[in-house]
Amino acid sequence: MSGQSLTDRITAAQHSVTGSAVSKTVCKATTHEIMGPKKKHLDYLIQCTNEMNVNIPQLADSLFERTTNSSWVVVFKSLITTHHLMVYGNERFIQYLASRNTLFNLSNFLDKSGLQGYDMSTFIRRYSRYLNEKAVSYRQVAFDFTKVKRGADGVMRTMNTEKLLKTVPIIQNQMDALLDFNVNSNELTNGVINAAFMLLFKDAIRLFAAYNEGIINLLEKYFDMKKNQCKEGLDIYKKFLTRMTRISEFLKVAEQVGIDRGDIPDLSQAPSSLLDALEQHLASLEGKKIKDSTAASRATTLSNAVSSLASTGLSLTKVDEREKQAALEEEQARLKALKEQRLKELAKKPHTSLTTAASPVSTSAGGIMTAPAIDIFSTPSSSNRTGDRTQGLAIARQALCH
């Protein structure tokens, strides 16, 4: 089905009658049109999350309600809109989602209306699991991994050993849920799933950047850890290597569907000798016989590994910065267009009436048009005395206001 359905129009009209602008916009963002949610509707909802008088639970409930629809298009666009608000909206939106016991219950969703419905239902089930996991991760650590401060003094690099060993597995779970979307380029066949993929792509880069920094911190601490901690750390590192392979495959799909090569980071794997060094160190703590290795060789291996991972981190950061710069330029262009449109509207307004002339109006040069001076010593005729007094009071009031 293409275009807004009759149901879409009726639902939007109902929200117009009840005066719910938020619910009406949610409806417009999640129509039956086979395209991603429109930017103007997403921008409005983002602004809503920043307004203190907007009821966040009501906004979230409006989105949850749309996921009960039988159409894969409506449900998929509801998930995309929710994801967009989690990423770009005020933090109180994801805080509210994280506070809920249940979020999306779409594990059995299936649109049987056609072949496309069957295909897209699979990705809806996977996508909803990722959004649920993203909210759960926030609940567990009280921050969004995709938005944490990065660098040498970043959150994941400065975490102590005990907290680090608890936190990195949480990132792993979220990364697994994201990669389980498991789409290939041939399946990105319409604007709806493409919009979801772009959000997942951006999350993947930022999430893996935090993951990568957590691993750097872990490696730097590994040889000073206790035996049980080393065992946990080694298991985490092995899982990281597996996920690095999977994220590389995910990025290949991004390149195949036309994402600019400069927007895709280069991932540098640590040398295989590092894994040997980590395993030998744990074996020595467990009292097993190991090959002799000097502290100098171990330090060199660790240094090379950290250098490789730091290179990956730098590449991820550059991609992130490019996106932020592009978003900033887009916002500046939008504001410029709005300003030009406003100036055109002002230029078209008539200036013939006395009331218009008396009102202070900003011009394109930034000046103010003022009313003619009044001769307060003149004696008005009885027929227009009341009108002149009213006009004089209005102008005096404007003068006081300015």
Side-chain angles (χ1 to χ4, degrees), residues 2 22 38 42 48 57 59 67 105 125 136 142 257 272 297 301 306 318 365:
S2 62
V22 171
K38 291 182 180 177
L42 293 175
C48 286
L59 169 56
T67 64
N105 185 19
R125 295 192 293 269
V136 168
V257 296
S272 57
S297 64
T301 300
V306 169
K318 284 181 179 178

Side-chain angles (χ1 to χ4, degrees), residues 83 122-137 140 168-183 196-197 200-201 203-204 207 211 243 246-247 250:
H83 191 182
T122 299
F123 295 107
I124 284 173
R125 295 192 293 269
R126 295 172 183 174
Y127 194 27
S128 64
R129 282 199 295 270
Y130 170 69
L131 295 183
N132 286 343
E133 190 61 43
K134 186 176 174 72
V136 168
S137 294
Q140 291 175 308
V168 175
I170 297 173
I171 302 183
Q172 287 177 341
N173 290 338
Q174 188 176 335
M175 179 62 72
D176 285 346
L178 189 154
L179 295 174
D180 283 345
F181 191 70
N182 197 28
V183 66
F197 180 77
L200 288 170
F201 170 73
D203 261 19
L207 185 60
Y211 191 10
R243 282 148 187 80
R246 291 187 68 195
I247 192 72
F250 181 88

Side-chain angles (χ1 to χ4, degrees), residues 102-328:
T102 57
L103 289 178
F104 299 109
N105 185 19
L106 296 168
S107 57
N108 296 316
F109 177 81
L110 182 62
D111 182 341
K112 301 179 181 179
S113 62
L115 182 60
Q116 191 175 35
Y118 276 94
D119 292 340
M120 292 298 110
S121 294
T122 299
F123 295 107
I124 284 173
R125 295 192 293 269
R126 295 172 183 174
Y127 194 27
S128 64
R129 282 199 295 270
Y130 170 69
L131 295 183
N132 286 343
E133 190 61 43
K134 186 176 174 72
V136 168
S137 294
Y138 189 97
R139 182 192 308 162
Q140 291 175 308
V141 297
F143 59 80
D144 186 342
F145 287 116
T146 66
K147 297 180 181 179
V148 292
K149 180 182 179 181
R150 300 205 295 264
D153 59 344
V155 173
M156 298 306 299
R157 289 289 295 274
T158 56
M159 207 171 272
N160 64 47
T161 302
E162 186 176 347
K163 189 174 182 180
L164 184 67
L165 291 172
K166 291 179 180 178
T167 303
V168 175
I170 297 173
I171 302 183
Q172 287 177 341
N173 290 338
Q174 188 176 335
M175 179 62 72
D176 285 346
L178 189 154
L179 295 174
D180 283 345
F181 191 70
N182 197 28
V183 66
N184 62 54
S185 57
N186 295 329
E187 293 167 317
L188 295 171
T189 56
N190 62 74
V192 181
I193 191 172
N194 290 351
F197 180 77
M198 283 305 300
L199 285 171
L200 288 170
F201 170 73
K202 292 173 183 178
D203 261 19
I205 290 174
R206 295 166 183 163
L207 185 60
F208 193 76
Y211 191 10
N212 187 69
E213 292 201 338
I215 295 299
I216 291 175
N217 188 6
L218 180 113
L219 293 175
E220 290 175 338
K221 289 179 166 61
Y222 183 83
F223 293 103
D224 296 319
M225 290 180 183
K226 298 174 183 176
K227 182 172 68 175
N228 288 340
Q229 292 176 329
C230 281
K231 199 169 185 178
E232 286 182 58
L234 179 60
D235 182 59
I236 287 172
Y237 181 69
K238 287 179 177 178
K239 289 178 178 177
F240 172 75
L241 295 178
T242 302
R243 282 148 187 80
M244 179 171 269
T245 301
R246 291 187 68 195
I247 192 72
S248 297
E249 294 169 355
F250 181 88
L251 296 179
K252 284 179 184 177
V253 174
E255 188 173 0
Q256 288 167 1
V257 296
I259 293 178
D260 191 277
R261 188 68 190 86
D263 293 331
I264 299 176
D266 295 316
L267 305 184
S268 303
Q269 285 198 339
S272 57
S273 57
L274 174 64
L275 181 59
D276 293 337
L278 299 180
E279 289 176 334
Q280 287 180 31
H281 179 69
L282 176 60
S284 68
L285 293 179
E286 293 174 337
K288 298 176 182 178
K289 292 183 177 180
I290 60 170
K291 294 184 292 184
D292 292 334
S293 62
T294 64
S297 64
R298 188 176 67 185
T300 300
T301 300
L302 180 60
S303 177
N304 291 338
V306 169
S307 178
S308 296
L309 296 178
S311 176
T312 293
L314 184 61
S315 179
L316 291 163
T317 299
K318 284 181 179 178
V319 169
D320 202 13
E321 290 300 323
R322 276 185 53 145
E323 188 203 334
K324 289 178 181 177
Q325 183 61 33
L328 180 62

Side-chain angles (χ1 to χ4, degrees), residues 342-400:
R342 179 61 179 156
L343 290 175
K344 288 179 181 178
E345 290 173 356
L346 290 174
K348 290 179 181 178
K349 286 185 176 181
H351 299 285
T352 55
S353 68
L354 186 60
T355 304
T356 303
S359 301
V361 180
S362 297
T363 67
S364 58
I368 297 177
M369 296 174 62
T370 57
I374 300 174
D375 183 1
I376 61 175
F377 297 104
S378 64
T379 304
S381 63
S382 59
S383 61
N384 64 3
R385 185 178 299 137
T386 302
D388 289 345
R389 185 185 298 115
T390 302
Q391 182 185 354
L393 286 173
I395 295 172
R397 193 178 295 113
Q398 290 168 356
L400 288 173

